[in-house]
């Protein structure tokens, strides 16, 4: 919709930290197209208001943070392999294979976090995994400072690597 309305442009989608957010209703191509049009309408509405320029410099940094995984053993992944859910079955098979090859399963996973500063106007924090909204709320509190009250902060999940769900403590409870 946006590319048709604005010839010569390329529309890009950058998801936020919405791993625990789902459009409703969902499940068909028609519904996906409907949600896409709704998103395009929101972008058009945003473009009709005042726009902010991003000024140099662009600074970026990246780091890898070890994410502690819940302990597991053969009884857990053997149960997963019997699940009716194909994703759980496949995960169980991978854990079983790792156990058979090494006698253990990993206890952490490297989560990539990249931060890009677009001048003082925008900070983009790109996190691997299916990140939930609690991370966006926390990033906005911790990065937006009193010295830069107009600084926008955008947390982006599904970046660099999508290893699975990255829940917060709230979601785990």
């Amino acid at each position: 919709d946006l590319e048709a309305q604005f010839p010569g442009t390329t529309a890009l989608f950058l998801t936020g930290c919405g791993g625990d957010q789902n459009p409703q209703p969902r499940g068909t191509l028609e519904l996906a197209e409907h949600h896409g049009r709704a998103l395009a309408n929101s972008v058009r509405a945003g473009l009709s208001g005042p726009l902010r320029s991003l000024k140099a410099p662009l600074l970026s940094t990246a780091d890898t943070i070890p994410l502690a995984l819940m302990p597991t053993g053969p009884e857990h992944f053997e149960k997963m392999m019997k699940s009716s859910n194909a994703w759980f079955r496949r995960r169980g098979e991978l854990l079983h294979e790792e156990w058979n090859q090494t006698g253990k399963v990993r206890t952490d996973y490297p989560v990539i976090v990249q931060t890009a500063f677009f001048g003082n106007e925008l900070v983009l924090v790109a996190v691997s995994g299916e990140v939930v909204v609690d991370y966006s709320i926390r990033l906005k509190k911790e990065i937006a400072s009193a010295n830069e009250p107009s600084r926008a902060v955008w947390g982006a999940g599904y970046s660099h690597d999508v290893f699975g769900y990255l829940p917060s403590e709230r979601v785990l409870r």
Side-chain angles (χ1 to χ4, degrees):
D1 277 1
L2 293 171
E3 290 174 358
Q5 183 177 357
F6 303 103
T9 63
T10 301
L12 300 174
F13 178 78
L14 180 64
T15 192
C17 298
D20 55 338
Q21 312 295 306
N22 289 308
Q24 295 295 339
R26 63 186 180 148
T28 67
L29 176 60
E30 291 77 19
L31 288 170
E33 290 171 342
H34 168 77
H35 295 308
R37 283 189 299 275
L39 178 58
N41 288 337
S42 294
V43 171
R44 277 191 279 279
L47 291 173
S48 69
L51 301 177
R52 292 172 34 184
S53 294
L54 300 177
K55 298 173 183 71
L58 169 63
L59 302 171
S60 181
T61 184
D63 204 352
T64 303
I65 300 168
L67 172 69
L69 301 175
M70 287 190 230
T72 188
E75 66 285 342
H76 178 72
F77 46 79
E78 287 171 6
K79 182 178 178 184
M80 290 176 75
M81 292 188 314
K82 295 175 184 170
S83 173
S84 60
N85 181 307
W87 296 103
F88 287 132
R89 276 196 317 273
R90 180 66 181 136
R91 180 72 181 136
E93 291 166 2
L94 291 171
L95 288 169
H96 185 261
E97 183 179 317
E98 184 177 349
W99 181 271
N100 286 340
Q101 289 178 358
T102 66
K104 60 182 180 176
V105 293
R106 70 173 73 180
T107 58
D108 61 37
Y109 190 87
V111 175
I112 302 167
V113 179
Q114 180 178 9
T115 306
F117 294 86
F118 297 82
N120 288 323
E121 291 79 26
L122 172 66
V123 179
L124 171 67
V125 183
V127 182
S128 55
E130 187 176 352
V131 184
V132 299
V133 70
D134 298 329
Y135 289 95
S136 177
I137 294 167
R138 182 172 175 179
L139 287 169
K140 288 175 181 177
K141 282 182 187 172
E142 292 188 14
I143 294 175
S145 71
N147 296 334
E148 300 293 341
S150 62
R151 176 184 284 166
V153 177
W154 183 264
Y158 304 91
S159 302
H160 304 291
D161 177 26
V162 182
F163 56 84
Y165 201 58
L166 185 57
S168 62
E169 287 185 36
R170 174 191 63 84
V171 171
L172 279 175
R173 280 193 300 273

